[in-house]
């Protein structure tokens, strides 16, 4: 029962998938971050189903790409994109960390958030239209949504927090942090190994992109914000998924050119 409640907490918070609404408490919050990658599993399966349907119906590439771009947003309600937008506004301010934290809390959407969201959507749509998703590439693409969430949850349980309030603080302080770190790190490593085994160069490039974004994320969150927050976690997830997709397309273009 506690396992189902734990999964329900993660899905209720980070997806639009209907689940029972448990009362949050120490028991079902303890390992909620470990359930976060399960949302990535659902997204990966939905993406695979869309790709198979697109092939079967001989959809135009732009329509296929639009579906691949929008499915993760529809299934998550855009919660991570909200963090991406807020973080983009704060980074563009070039203000001290304290001021950046205030910008993150501002409910208004600034000009730089709109601009960078537009850039993100154009880049994501273009890459989704350009990518070729055969068997190995499709498997790696699906696993990328699980890997991004495993790394995001691991970072919340591991990196210093910028403040003692907010969503990241709630999940981090309610978690058995040592157990969550171990589970999600092992999962992330296993996913990276699987991606390399299944997709070879394509999978290795995607896994490398995810871990490089993670390294930048740690440095950026400390230097620019004084620690991690829920908005920054959303920024990381959206950035990691975009760069993994970019790595996949880059490898495919190089292979085609050679």
């Amino acid at each position: 029962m506690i396992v189902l409640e734990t999964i329900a907490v993660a899905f209720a918070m980070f997806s639009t998938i209907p689940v029972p609404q448990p009362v949050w408490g120490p028991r079902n919050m303890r390992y909620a971050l470990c359930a976060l990658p399960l949302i990535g599993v659902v997204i990966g399966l939905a993406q695979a189903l869309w790709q198979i349907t697109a092939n079967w119906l001989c959809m135009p590439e732009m329509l296929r790409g639009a579906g691949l771009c929008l499915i993760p947003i529809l299934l998550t309600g855009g919660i991570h994109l909200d963090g991406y937008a807020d973080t983009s506004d704060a980074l563009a301010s070039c203000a001290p960390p304290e001021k950046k934290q205030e910008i993150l809390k501002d409910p208004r959407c600034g000009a730089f958030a709109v601009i960078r969201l537009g850039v993100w959507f154009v880049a994501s749509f273009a890459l989704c239209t350009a990518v070729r998703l055969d068997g190995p590439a499709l498997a790696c693409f699906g696993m990328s949504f699980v890997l991004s969430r495993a790394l995001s949850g691991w970072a919340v349980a591991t990196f210093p927090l910028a403040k003692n309030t907010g969503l990241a603080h709630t999940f981090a302080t309610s978690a058995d942090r040592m157990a969550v770190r171990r589970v999600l790190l092992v999962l992330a490593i296993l996913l990276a190994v699987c991606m390399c085994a299944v997709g070879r160069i394509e999978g290795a490039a995607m896994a490398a992109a995810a871990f490089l974004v993670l390294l930048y994320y740690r440095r950026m969150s400390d230097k620019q914000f004084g620690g991690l927050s829920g908005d920054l976690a959303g920024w990381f997830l959206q950035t990691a998924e975009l760069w993994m997709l970019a790595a996949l397309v880059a490898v495919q273009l190089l292979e085609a050119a050679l």
Side-chain angles (χ1 to χ4, degrees):
M1 191 67 176
I2 292 301
V3 172
L4 294 178
E5 285 189 12
T6 300
I7 295 172
V9 167
F11 273 77
M13 186 66 239
F14 297 108
S15 81
T16 58
I17 300 168
V19 294
Q21 300 292 320
V23 177
W24 289 15
R27 295 181 67 196
N28 56 29
M29 289 285 291
R30 191 176 184 185
Y31 301 110
L33 287 173
C34 293
L36 183 59
L38 293 176
I39 301 173
V41 173
V42 174
I43 294 173
L45 291 174
Q47 295 283 51
L49 179 61
W50 175 257
Q51 177 64 35
I52 293 169
T53 302
N55 290 341
W56 182 55
L57 296 176
C58 298
M59 286 185 187
E61 288 300 304
M62 292 185 68
L63 181 57
R64 179 187 70 95
L68 294 175
C69 175
L70 294 176
I71 283 172
I73 300 168
L74 295 175
L75 291 178
T76 61
I79 185 172
H80 306 299
L81 271 179
D82 176 69
Y84 181 89
D86 290 340
T87 303
S88 296
D89 252 347
L91 288 173
S93 70
C94 299
E98 297 78 11
K99 179 61 177 178
K100 287 188 174 74
Q101 288 291 343
E102 293 179 12
I103 295 173
L104 290 179
K105 293 186 290 184
D106 192 335
R108 295 170 296 180
C109 190
F112 287 103
V114 175
I115 292 169
R116 296 193 183 186
L117 276 177
V119 171
W120 187 94
F121 272 106
V122 170
S124 178
F125 173 66
L127 291 169
C128 286
T129 303
V131 71
R132 300 191 311 275
L133 294 177
D134 54 13
L138 182 57
C140 290
F141 182 61
M143 284 189 283
S144 70
F145 297 98
V146 187
L147 178 58
S148 64
R149 283 160 177 79
L151 292 176
S152 181
W154 178 84
V156 169
T158 305
F159 294 174
L161 300 175
K163 54 183 181 179
N164 295 325
T165 59
L167 188 60
H169 180 266
T170 299
F171 274 85
T173 55
S174 300
D176 182 342
R177 299 181 74 168
M178 185 60 68
V180 169
R181 290 173 194 167
R182 290 173 178 172
V183 169
L184 292 181
L185 181 59
V186 169
L187 176 60
I189 293 173
L190 288 175
L191 285 166
V193 171
C194 287
M195 291 170 74
C196 293
V198 172
R200 298 184 181 277
I201 298 176
E202 292 175 336
M206 294 178 74
F211 282 96
L212 287 173
V213 173
L214 180 68
L215 291 175
Y216 175 77
Y217 175 42
R218 172 59 192 269
R219 181 176 179 275
M220 181 271 285
S221 62
D222 284 348
K223 182 178 179 180
Q224 300 290 341
F225 295 90
L228 185 145
S229 69
D231 286 319
L232 291 175
W235 177 92
F236 164 75
L237 194 143
Q238 296 295 159
T239 303
E241 289 178 356
L242 186 66
W243 279 98
M244 280 191 279
L245 178 57
L248 175 58
V249 173
V251 170
Q252 290 181 344
L253 291 175
L254 285 173
E255 289 178 343
L258 298 176

